[in-house]
Amino acid sequence: MVKIYRYLLETAPEELSAVIMKALGNTSRKAADNFYQYFGIPDARDDHDWAVKEGWACCSPDRVLHSTGVVGDDRRYIVVALSAHDASTSTWDQVGGELTDAVRRALAGIRR
């Protein structure tokens, strides 16, 4: 994932990078299947200086949430947060909250 974001930010032709980063920066709060997708980076960085791709899968044996993207005023920080949680003992709200808290802690020391 880091290599993909580095390619988009550093190597890809500007017209390709611009289209993809614009789409990643305009993700909706809910996905087409109505799944809340502002966990992780978006909820941790509510100032919206991000471009993200969220992912989820369920439930055998885990609830899986991933939050990846770039953050910062010039989107210079790459963030990749991958998680898996026991589906028999966790809810989506718990999993999303834990992932968001982990991202918030990881980003606490970066400059804007």
Coordinates of all heavy atoms in Angstrom, one line a residue, residues 5-101:
Y5 N 0.9 4.5 -2.8 CA 0.7 5.9 -2.5 C 2.0 6.7 -2.9 O 1.9 7.8 -3.4 CB 0.4 6.1 -1.0 CG -1.1 5.7 -0.7 CD1 -1.4 4.6 0.1 CD2 -2.1 6.5 -1.2 CE1 -2.7 4.3 0.4 CE2 -3.4 6.1 -0.9 CZ -3.7 5.0 -0.1 OH -5.0 4.7 0.1
R6 N 3.1 6.1 -2.6 CA 4.4 6.8 -3.1 C 4.4 7.0 -4.6 O 4.8 8.0 -5.1 CB 5.6 6.0 -2.6 CG 5.8 6.1 -1.1 CD 7.1 5.7 -0.6 NE 8.1 6.7 -1.1 CZ 9.3 6.6 -0.9 NH1 9.8 5.7 -0.2 NH2 10.2 7.5 -1.4
Y7 N 4.0 6.0 -5.3 CA 3.9 6.1 -6.8 C 3.0 7.3 -7.1 O 3.3 8.1 -8.0 CB 3.4 4.8 -7.4 CG 3.1 4.9 -8.9 CD1 4.1 5.0 -9.8 CD2 1.8 5.0 -9.3 CE1 3.8 5.2 -11.2 CE2 1.5 5.2 -10.7 CZ 2.5 5.3 -11.6 OH 2.3 5.4 -12.9
L8 N 1.8 7.3 -6.5 CA 0.8 8.3 -6.9 C 1.3 9.7 -6.5 O 1.1 10.7 -7.3 CB -0.5 8.1 -6.1 CG -1.4 6.9 -6.6 CD1 -2.5 6.7 -5.7 CD2 -1.9 7.2 -8.0
L9 N 2.1 9.8 -5.4 CA 2.5 11.1 -5.0 C 3.8 11.6 -5.7 O 4.1 12.8 -5.8 CB 2.7 11.1 -3.5 CG 1.5 10.9 -2.6 CD1 1.8 10.7 -1.2 CD2 0.5 12.1 -2.8
E10 N 4.7 10.6 -6.1 CA 6.0 11.0 -6.5 C 6.3 10.6 -8.0 O 7.2 11.3 -8.6 CB 7.0 10.2 -5.6 CG 7.0 10.6 -4.2 CD 7.8 9.7 -3.3 OE1 8.5 8.8 -3.8 OE2 7.7 9.8 -2.1
T11 N 5.7 9.7 -8.6 CA 6.1 9.2 -9.9 C 5.0 9.2 -10.9 O 5.3 9.5 -12.1 CB 6.6 7.7 -9.7 OG1 7.6 7.6 -8.7 CG2 7.2 7.2 -11.0
A12 N 3.8 9.0 -10.5 CA 2.7 8.9 -11.5 C 2.5 10.2 -12.3 O 2.8 11.3 -11.8 CB 1.4 8.6 -10.8
P13 N 2.1 10.1 -13.6 CA 1.8 11.3 -14.3 C 0.8 12.2 -13.6 O -0.1 11.6 -12.9 CB 1.2 10.8 -15.6 CG 1.8 9.4 -15.7 CD 1.9 8.9 -14.3
E14 N 0.9 13.5 -13.6 CA 0.1 14.4 -12.8 C -1.4 14.1 -13.2 O -2.2 14.2 -12.2 CB 0.5 15.8 -13.1 CG -0.5 16.8 -12.5 CD -0.5 16.8 -11.0 OE1 0.5 16.4 -10.3 OE2 -1.6 17.1 -10.4
E15 N -1.7 13.9 -14.4 CA -3.2 13.7 -14.7 C -3.7 12.5 -14.1 O -4.9 12.4 -13.7 CB -3.4 13.7 -16.3 CG -2.6 12.7 -17.0 CD -1.2 13.0 -17.4 OE1 -0.7 14.1 -17.0 OE2 -0.6 12.2 -18.1
L16 N -3.0 11.4 -14.0 CA -3.4 10.2 -13.3 C -3.5 10.4 -11.8 O -4.5 10.1 -11.2 CB -2.4 9.0 -13.6 CG -2.7 7.8 -12.8 CD1 -4.0 7.1 -13.2 CD2 -1.6 6.8 -13.0
S17 N -2.4 11.0 -11.2 CA -2.4 11.2 -9.8 C -3.6 12.1 -9.4 O -4.2 11.9 -8.4 CB -1.1 11.8 -9.4 OG -1.1 12.1 -8.0
A18 N -3.8 13.2 -10.1 CA -4.8 14.2 -9.8 C -6.2 13.5 -9.7 O -7.0 13.8 -8.8 CB -4.8 15.3 -10.8
V19 N -6.5 12.7 -10.7 CA -7.8 12.0 -10.8 C -8.0 11.1 -9.6 O -9.1 11.1 -8.9 CB -8.0 11.3 -12.1 CG1 -9.2 10.3 -12.0 CG2 -8.1 12.2 -13.2
I20 N -7.0 10.3 -9.3 CA -7.1 9.3 -8.2 C -7.2 10.1 -6.8 O -8.0 9.8 -6.0 CB -6.0 8.3 -8.3 CG1 -6.2 7.4 -9.5 CG2 -5.9 7.5 -7.0 CD1 -5.0 6.5 -9.8
M21 N -6.3 11.0 -6.6 CA -6.3 11.7 -5.3 C -7.5 12.5 -5.1 O -8.0 12.6 -4.0 CB -5.0 12.6 -5.2 CG -3.7 11.8 -5.3 SD -3.6 10.4 -4.1 CE -3.5 11.3 -2.6
K22 N -8.1 13.1 -6.2 CA -9.4 13.8 -6.0 C -10.5 12.8 -5.6 O -11.3 13.1 -4.7 CB -9.8 14.5 -7.3 CG -11.1 15.2 -7.2 CD -11.4 15.9 -8.5 CE -12.7 16.6 -8.4 NZ -13.1 17.3 -9.7
A23 N -10.5 11.7 -6.2 CA -11.6 10.7 -5.8 C -11.4 10.2 -4.3 O -12.3 10.1 -3.6 CB -11.5 9.5 -6.7
L24 N -10.1 10.0 -4.0 CA -9.8 9.5 -2.6 C -10.1 10.6 -1.6 O -10.4 10.3 -0.4 CB -8.4 9.1 -2.5 CG -8.0 7.8 -3.3 CD1 -6.5 7.5 -3.1 CD2 -8.8 6.6 -2.9
G25 N -10.0 11.9 -2.0 CA -10.3 13.0 -1.1 C -11.8 13.3 -1.0 O -12.2 14.2 -0.2
N26 N -12.6 12.7 -1.8 CA -14.0 13.0 -1.8 C -14.9 11.8 -1.5 O -16.0 11.7 -2.0 CB -14.4 13.6 -3.2 CG -13.9 14.9 -3.4 OD1 -14.0 15.8 -2.6 ND2 -13.3 15.2 -4.6
T27 N -14.3 10.9 -0.7 CA -15.1 9.7 -0.4 C -16.3 10.1 0.5 O -16.3 11.1 1.2 CB -14.2 8.7 0.4 OG1 -14.9 7.5 0.5 CG2 -13.8 9.2 1.7
S28 N -17.4 9.3 0.3 CA -18.6 9.6 1.1 C -18.6 9.0 2.4 O -17.9 8.0 2.7 CB -19.8 9.2 0.3 OG -19.8 7.8 0.1
R29 N -19.4 9.5 3.3 CA -19.4 9.0 4.7 C -20.0 7.6 4.7 O -19.6 6.8 5.6 CB -20.3 9.9 5.5 CG -20.2 9.8 7.0 CD -20.9 10.9 7.8 NE -20.2 12.2 7.6 CZ -19.2 12.6 8.4 NH1 -18.7 11.8 9.3 NH2 -18.7 13.8 8.2
K30 N -20.9 7.3 3.8 CA -21.4 5.9 3.7 C -21.2 5.3 2.3 O -21.3 6.1 1.3 CB -22.9 5.9 4.0 CG -23.2 6.3 5.4 CD -24.3 5.4 6.0 CE -24.4 5.8 7.5 NZ -25.7 5.3 8.0
A31 N -20.8 4.1 2.3 CA -20.6 3.4 1.0 C -21.9 3.0 0.3 O -23.0 3.2 0.9 CB -19.8 2.1 1.2
A32 N -21.8 2.5 -0.9 CA -23.0 2.1 -1.7 C -23.9 1.1 -0.9 O -25.1 1.1 -1.0 CB -22.6 1.6 -3.0
D33 N -23.2 0.3 -0.1 CA -23.9 -0.7 0.7 C -24.4 -0.2 2.1 O -24.8 -0.9 2.9 CB -23.1 -2.0 0.9 CG -21.8 -1.8 1.7 OD1 -21.6 -0.7 2.1 OD2 -21.1 -2.8 1.9
N34 N -24.3 1.1 2.2 CA -24.7 1.9 3.5 C -23.7 1.6 4.6 O -24.0 2.0 5.8 CB -26.1 1.5 3.8 CG -26.8 2.7 4.6 OD1 -26.5 3.9 4.2 ND2 -27.6 2.4 5.5
F35 N -22.6 1.0 4.4 CA -21.6 0.8 5.5 C -20.9 2.1 5.8 O -20.4 2.8 4.9 CB -20.6 -0.2 5.0 CG -19.7 -0.7 6.1 CD1 -20.1 -1.8 6.9 CD2 -18.5 -0.1 6.4 CE1 -19.3 -2.3 7.9 CE2 -17.7 -0.6 7.5 CZ -18.1 -1.7 8.2
Y36 N -20.8 2.5 7.1 CA -20.1 3.7 7.5 C -18.7 3.5 7.2 O -18.0 2.6 7.7 CB -20.4 3.9 9.0 CG -19.7 5.2 9.5 CD1 -20.3 6.4 9.3 CD2 -18.5 5.1 10.3 CE1 -19.7 7.6 9.8 CE2 -17.9 6.2 10.8 CZ -18.5 7.4 10.5 OH -17.9 8.6 11.0
Q37 N -18.1 4.5 6.4 CA -16.7 4.3 6.0 C -15.8 5.5 6.4 O -14.8 5.8 5.7 CB -16.6 4.0 4.5 CG -17.1 5.1 3.6 CD -16.9 4.7 2.2 OE1 -16.4 3.6 1.8 NE2 -17.3 5.6 1.3
Y38 N -16.2 6.2 7.5 CA -15.3 7.2 8.0 C -14.5 6.8 9.2 O -14.0 7.6 10.0 CB -16.1 8.5 8.3 CG -16.1 9.5 7.1 CD1 -16.0 9.1 5.8 CD2 -16.3 10.8 7.4 CE1 -16.0 10.0 4.8 CE2 -16.4 11.8 6.4 CZ -16.2 11.3 5.1 OH -16.3 12.2 4.0
F39 N -14.4 5.5 9.4 CA -13.5 5.0 10.5 C -12.1 5.2 10.1 O -11.8 5.6 9.0 CB -13.8 3.5 10.7 CG -13.7 2.7 9.4 CD1 -12.4 2.2 9.0 CD2 -14.8 2.4 8.6 CE1 -12.3 1.5 7.8 CE2 -14.6 1.6 7.5 CZ -13.4 1.2 7.1
G40 N -11.2 5.1 11.1 CA -9.8 5.2 10.8 C -9.4 6.6 10.5 O -9.7 7.5 11.3
I41 N -8.8 6.9 9.4 CA -8.2 8.2 9.1 C -9.3 9.3 9.1 O -9.1 10.3 9.7 CB -7.5 8.1 7.7 CG1 -6.3 7.2 7.8 CG2 -7.0 9.5 7.3 CD1 -5.6 6.8 6.5
P42 N -10.4 9.1 8.4 CA -11.4 10.3 8.4 C -11.9 10.7 9.8 O -11.9 11.9 10.0 CB -12.5 9.7 7.5 CG -11.9 8.7 6.6 CD -10.8 8.1 7.5
D43 N -12.2 9.7 10.6 CA -12.7 10.1 12.0 C -11.5 10.6 12.8 O -11.7 11.4 13.7 CB -13.4 8.9 12.6 CG -14.8 8.8 12.3 OD1 -15.4 9.7 11.7 OD2 -15.4 7.7 12.6
A44 N -10.3 10.1 12.6 CA -9.2 10.6 13.4 C -8.7 12.0 13.0 O -8.2 12.7 13.8 CB -8.0 9.6 13.3
R45 N -9.0 12.3 11.7 CA -8.6 13.6 11.2 C -9.8 14.3 10.6 O -10.0 14.4 9.4 CB -7.5 13.4 10.0 CG -6.2 12.9 10.5 CD -5.5 13.8 11.4 NE -5.1 15.1 10.7 CZ -3.9 15.4 10.5 NH1 -2.9 14.7 10.9 NH2 -3.6 16.6 9.8
D46 N -10.7 14.8 11.5 CA -11.9 15.4 11.1 C -11.8 16.7 10.4 O -12.7 17.3 9.9 CB -12.9 15.4 12.2 CG -12.4 16.2 13.4 OD1 -11.3 16.8 13.3 OD2 -13.1 16.3 14.4
D47 N -10.5 17.2 10.3 CA -10.3 18.5 9.6 C -10.2 18.3 8.1 O -10.0 19.2 7.3 CB -9.0 19.2 10.1 CG -7.8 18.2 10.1 OD1 -7.9 17.1 9.7 OD2 -6.7 18.7 10.5
H48 N -10.3 17.1 7.6 CA -10.4 16.7 6.2 C -9.2 17.0 5.4 O -9.3 17.4 4.2 CB -11.7 17.2 5.6 CG -12.0 16.5 4.3 ND1 -12.6 17.2 3.2 CD2 -11.8 15.3 3.8 CE1 -12.8 16.4 2.2 NE2 -12.3 15.2 2.5
D49 N -8.1 16.9 6.0 CA -6.8 17.0 5.2 C -6.3 15.7 4.8 O -5.2 15.3 5.0 CB -5.8 17.9 5.9 CG -5.3 17.2 7.2 OD1 -6.0 16.3 7.7 OD2 -4.3 17.6 7.7
W50 N -7.2 14.9 4.2 CA -6.9 13.5 3.9 C -7.5 13.1 2.5 O -8.3 13.7 2.0 CB -7.4 12.5 4.9 CG -8.9 12.7 5.4 CD1 -9.3 13.3 6.5 CD2 -10.1 12.3 4.7 NE1 -10.7 13.3 6.6 CE2 -11.2 12.7 5.4 CE3 -10.3 11.7 3.4 CZ2 -12.5 12.5 5.1 CZ3 -11.6 11.5 3.1 CH2 -12.7 11.9 3.9
A51 N -6.9 12.0 2.0 CA -7.4 11.3 0.8 C -7.3 9.8 1.2 O -6.2 9.4 1.5 CB -6.6 11.6 -0.4
V52 N -8.4 9.1 1.2 CA -8.3 7.7 1.8 C -9.0 6.7 0.9 O -9.9 7.0 0.1 CB -9.0 7.7 3.2 CG1 -8.3 8.6 4.1 CG2 -10.5 8.1 3.1
K53 N -8.7 5.4 1.2 CA -9.4 4.3 0.7 C -9.6 3.4 1.9 O -8.7 2.9 2.5 CB -8.5 3.5 -0.4 CG -9.2 2.3 -0.9 CD -10.5 2.6 -1.6 CE -11.2 1.4 -2.1 NZ -12.6 1.3 -1.6
E54 N -10.9 3.2 2.2 CA -11.3 2.3 3.3 C -11.7 0.9 2.8 O -12.1 0.8 1.7 CB -12.5 2.9 4.0 CG -12.2 4.4 4.4 CD -11.2 4.6 5.5 OE1 -10.0 4.5 5.2 OE2 -11.6 4.8 6.6
G55 N -11.5 -0.1 3.6 CA -11.9 -1.4 3.2 C -12.4 -2.2 4.4 O -12.1 -1.9 5.6
W56 N -13.4 -3.1 4.2 CA -13.9 -3.9 5.2 C -14.3 -5.3 4.6 O -14.6 -5.4 3.5 CB -15.1 -3.3 5.9 CG -16.2 -2.9 4.9 CD1 -17.3 -3.6 4.6 CD2 -16.3 -1.6 4.2 NE1 -18.1 -2.9 3.7 CE2 -17.5 -1.7 3.4 CE3 -15.5 -0.5 4.1 CZ2 -17.9 -0.7 2.6 CZ3 -15.9 0.5 3.3 CH2 -17.1 0.4 2.5
A57 N -14.3 -6.3 5.5 CA -14.8 -7.6 5.1 C -15.3 -8.3 6.4 O -14.8 -8.0 7.5 CB -13.6 -8.4 4.5
C58 N -16.2 -9.2 6.2 CA -16.7 -9.9 7.4 C -17.0 -11.3 7.0 O -17.4 -11.6 5.9 CB -18.0 -9.2 7.8 SG -18.8 -9.8 9.3
C59 N -17.1 -12.2 7.8 CA -16.9 -12.4 9.2 C -16.4 -13.8 9.5 O -16.6 -14.3 10.6 CB -18.3 -12.3 9.9 SG -18.9 -10.6 10.2
S60 N -15.7 -14.4 8.6 CA -15.2 -15.7 8.9 C -13.7 -15.8 8.8 O -13.2 -15.9 7.7 CB -15.9 -16.7 8.0 OG -15.6 -18.0 8.3
P61 N -13.0 -15.8 9.8 CA -13.4 -15.7 11.2 C -13.3 -14.3 11.8 O -13.7 -14.1 12.9 CB -12.3 -16.5 11.9 CG -11.1 -16.3 11.2 CD -11.5 -16.1 9.7
D62 N -12.9 -13.3 11.0 CA -12.7 -12.0 11.5 C -13.5 -10.9 10.9 O -14.0 -11.0 9.7 CB -11.2 -11.6 11.3 CG -10.3 -12.5 12.0 OD1 -10.6 -12.9 13.1 OD2 -9.2 -12.8 11.4
R63 N -13.7 -9.8 11.6 CA -14.1 -8.5 11.1 C -12.9 -7.8 10.7 O -12.0 -7.6 11.5 CB -14.9 -7.7 12.1 CG -16.2 -8.3 12.5 CD -17.0 -7.3 13.4 NE -18.0 -8.0 14.1 CZ -19.2 -8.2 13.6 NH1 -19.5 -7.8 12.4 NH2 -20.1 -8.8 14.3
V64 N -12.8 -7.4 9.5 CA -11.6 -6.8 9.0 C -11.9 -5.3 8.5 O -12.8 -5.1 7.8 CB -11.0 -7.5 7.7 CG1 -9.8 -6.8 7.2 CG2 -10.7 -9.0 8.2
L65 N -11.1 -4.4 9.0 CA -11.2 -3.0 8.6 C -9.8 -2.5 8.3 O -8.9 -2.7 9.0 CB -11.7 -2.1 9.8 CG -13.2 -2.1 10.1 CD1 -13.5 -1.1 11.2 CD2 -14.0 -1.8 8.8
H66 N -9.7 -1.8 7.2 CA -8.5 -1.2 6.8 C -8.8 0.3 6.4 O -9.8 0.6 5.9 CB -7.9 -1.8 5.5 CG -7.6 -3.3 5.6 ND1 -7.2 -3.9 6.8 CD2 -7.8 -4.3 4.7 CE1 -7.0 -5.2 6.6 NE2 -7.4 -5.4 5.4
S67 N -7.8 1.2 6.8 CA -7.9 2.6 6.5 C -6.5 3.0 6.0 O -5.5 2.9 6.7 CB -8.3 3.4 7.8 OG -8.4 4.7 7.5
T68 N -6.5 3.4 4.7 CA -5.2 3.8 4.1 C -5.4 5.1 3.4 O -6.5 5.4 3.0 CB -4.7 2.7 3.1 OG1 -5.5 2.8 1.9 CG2 -4.7 1.3 3.7
G69 N -4.3 5.8 3.3 CA -4.4 7.1 2.6 C -3.2 8.0 2.9 O -2.2 7.6 3.4
V70 N -3.4 9.3 2.6 CA -2.5 10.3 2.9 C -3.1 11.4 3.7 O -4.3 11.7 3.5 CB -1.8 10.8 1.5 CG1 -1.0 9.7 0.9 CG2 -2.9 11.4 0.6
V71 N -2.3 12.1 4.5 CA -2.8 13.1 5.4 C -1.9 14.3 5.4 O -0.7 14.1 5.0 CB -3.1 12.7 6.8 CG1 -4.2 11.6 6.8 CG2 -1.9 12.2 7.5
G72 N -2.3 15.4 5.9 CA -1.5 16.6 6.0 C -1.9 17.6 5.0 O -2.6 17.3 4.0
D73 N -1.6 18.9 5.3 CA -2.0 20.0 4.4 C -1.6 19.7 3.0 O -2.3 20.0 2.0 CB -1.3 21.3 4.9 CG -2.0 21.8 6.1 OD1 -3.1 21.4 6.4 OD2 -1.4 22.7 6.8
D74 N -0.4 19.2 2.7 CA 0.0 18.9 1.4 C 0.0 17.4 1.1 O 0.6 16.9 0.2 CB 1.4 19.4 1.1 CG 2.5 18.9 2.0 OD1 2.1 18.1 2.9 OD2 3.6 19.3 1.9
R75 N -0.7 16.7 2.0 CA -0.9 15.2 1.9 C 0.4 14.5 1.8 O 0.6 13.6 1.0 CB -1.9 14.9 0.8 CG -3.2 15.4 1.0 CD -4.2 15.1 -0.1 NE -5.5 15.5 0.3 CZ -6.6 15.6 -0.5 NH1 -6.4 15.2 -1.7 NH2 -7.7 16.0 -0.1
R76 N 1.3 14.8 2.6 CA 2.7 14.3 2.6 C 2.9 13.1 3.4 O 3.9 12.4 3.3 CB 3.7 15.3 2.9 CG 3.7 15.8 4.3 CD 4.8 16.8 4.6 NE 4.6 17.3 5.9 CZ 4.6 18.6 6.2 NH1 4.8 19.5 5.3 NH2 4.5 19.0 7.4
Y77 N 2.0 12.8 4.3 CA 2.1 11.6 5.2 C 1.3 10.4 4.7 O 0.1 10.6 4.6 CB 1.7 12.0 6.7 CG 2.5 13.1 7.3 CD1 2.0 14.4 7.4 CD2 3.8 12.8 7.7 CE1 2.8 15.4 7.9 CE2 4.6 13.9 8.3 CZ 4.0 15.1 8.4 OH 4.8 16.2 8.9
I78 N 1.9 9.3 4.5 CA 1.2 8.1 4.1 C 0.8 7.3 5.4 O 1.7 7.1 6.2 CB 2.1 7.3 3.2 CG1 2.4 8.1 1.9 CG2 1.4 5.9 2.8 CD1 3.4 7.4 1.0
V79 N -0.4 6.9 5.4 CA -0.9 6.1 6.6 C -1.5 4.8 6.1 O -2.4 4.8 5.2 CB -2.0 6.9 7.4 CG1 -2.5 6.1 8.5 CG2 -1.4 8.2 7.8
V80 N -1.1 3.7 6.6 CA -1.7 2.4 6.3 C -2.0 1.7 7.7 O -1.1 1.4 8.4 CB -0.7 1.5 5.5 CG1 -1.3 0.2 5.3 CG2 -0.4 2.2 4.2
A81 N -3.3 1.6 8.0 CA -3.7 0.9 9.2 C -4.6 -0.3 8.8 O -5.7 -0.1 8.3 CB -4.5 1.9 10.0
L82 N -4.1 -1.5 9.1 CA -4.8 -2.7 8.8 C -5.2 -3.4 10.1 O -4.4 -3.5 11.0 CB -3.9 -3.6 7.9 CG -3.2 -3.0 6.7 CD1 -2.2 -3.9 6.1 CD2 -4.2 -2.5 5.7
S83 N -6.4 -3.9 10.1 CA -6.8 -4.6 11.4 C -7.7 -5.8 11.1 O -8.4 -5.8 10.1 CB -7.5 -3.6 12.3 OG -8.8 -3.2 11.7
A84 N -7.7 -6.7 12.0 CA -8.6 -7.9 12.0 C -9.0 -8.1 13.4 O -8.2 -8.1 14.3 CB -7.9 -9.1 11.4
H85 N -10.3 -8.4 13.6 CA -10.9 -8.6 15.0 C -11.8 -9.8 15.0 O -12.5 -10.0 14.0 CB -11.7 -7.3 15.4 CG -10.9 -6.1 15.3 ND1 -10.3 -5.5 16.4 CD2 -10.6 -5.3 14.2 CE1 -9.6 -4.4 16.0 NE2 -9.8 -4.3 14.7
D86 N -11.8 -10.5 16.1 CA -12.6 -11.7 16.2 C -14.1 -11.3 16.1 O -14.6 -10.5 16.9 CB -12.4 -12.3 17.6 CG -13.1 -13.6 17.8 OD1 -14.1 -13.9 17.1 OD2 -12.6 -14.5 18.6
A87 N -14.7 -11.8 15.1 CA -16.1 -11.5 14.8 C -17.1 -12.0 15.8 O -18.2 -11.4 16.0 CB -16.5 -12.1 13.4
S88 N -16.7 -13.0 16.6 CA -17.6 -13.5 17.6 C -17.6 -12.7 18.9 O -18.5 -12.8 19.7 CB -17.2 -15.0 18.0 OG -16.0 -15.0 18.6
T89 N -16.6 -11.8 19.0 CA -16.6 -11.0 20.3 C -16.5 -9.5 20.0 O -16.3 -8.7 20.9 CB -15.3 -11.4 21.1 OG1 -14.1 -11.1 20.3 CG2 -15.4 -12.8 21.5
S90 N -16.7 -9.0 18.8 CA -16.6 -7.6 18.5 C -17.7 -7.2 17.6 O -18.2 -7.9 16.7 CB -15.2 -7.3 17.9 OG -15.1 -7.9 16.6
T91 N -18.1 -5.9 17.7 CA -19.1 -5.3 16.8 C -18.4 -4.4 15.8 O -17.2 -4.0 16.1 CB -20.1 -4.5 17.6 OG1 -19.4 -3.3 18.2 CG2 -20.8 -5.3 18.7
W92 N -19.0 -4.0 14.8 CA -18.4 -3.0 13.8 C -18.1 -1.7 14.5 O -17.1 -1.1 14.2 CB -19.3 -2.8 12.6 CG -19.3 -3.9 11.7 CD1 -20.4 -4.7 11.4 CD2 -18.2 -4.4 10.9 NE1 -20.0 -5.7 10.4 CE2 -18.7 -5.5 10.1 CE3 -16.9 -4.0 10.7 CZ2 -17.9 -6.2 9.2 CZ3 -16.1 -4.7 9.9 CH2 -16.6 -5.7 9.1
D93 N -19.0 -1.3 15.4 CA -18.7 0.0 16.1 C -17.4 -0.1 17.0 O -16.6 0.8 17.0 CB -19.9 0.4 17.0 CG -21.0 0.9 16.2 OD1 -20.9 1.3 15.0 OD2 -22.2 0.9 16.7
Q94 N -17.2 -1.2 17.6 CA -16.0 -1.4 18.4 C -14.8 -1.5 17.6 O -13.8 -0.8 17.8 CB -16.1 -2.7 19.2 CG -17.1 -2.8 20.3 CD -17.3 -4.2 20.9 OE1 -17.3 -5.1 20.2 NE2 -17.4 -4.3 22.2
V95 N -14.9 -2.2 16.5 CA -13.7 -2.4 15.6 C -13.4 -1.0 15.0 O -12.2 -0.6 14.9 CB -14.0 -3.4 14.5 CG1 -13.0 -3.4 13.4 CG2 -14.2 -4.8 15.1
G96 N -14.4 -0.3 14.5 CA -14.1 1.0 13.9 C -13.5 2.0 14.9 O -12.6 2.8 14.6
G97 N -14.1 2.0 16.2 CA -13.5 2.8 17.2 C -12.1 2.5 17.6 O -11.3 3.4 17.7
E98 N -11.8 1.2 17.6 CA -10.4 0.9 18.0 C -9.4 1.3 16.9 O -8.3 1.8 17.1 CB -10.3 -0.6 18.2 CG -11.0 -1.1 19.5 CD -11.0 -2.6 19.7 OE1 -10.2 -3.3 19.0 OE2 -11.8 -3.1 20.5
L99 N -9.8 1.1 15.6 CA -9.0 1.5 14.5 C -8.8 3.0 14.5 O -7.7 3.5 14.3 CB -9.5 1.0 13.2 CG -8.7 1.3 11.9 CD1 -7.3 0.6 12.0 CD2 -9.4 0.8 10.7
T100 N -9.9 3.7 14.7 CA -9.8 5.2 14.7 C -8.9 5.6 15.8 O -8.0 6.5 15.6 CB -11.2 5.8 14.8 OG1 -12.0 5.4 13.7 CG2 -11.1 7.3 14.9
D101 N -9.0 5.1 17.0 CA -8.1 5.4 18.1 C -6.7 5.2 17.8 O -5.8 6.0 18.1 CB -8.5 4.7 19.4 CG -9.9 5.2 20.0 OD1 -10.3 6.3 19.6 OD2 -10.4 4.5 20.8

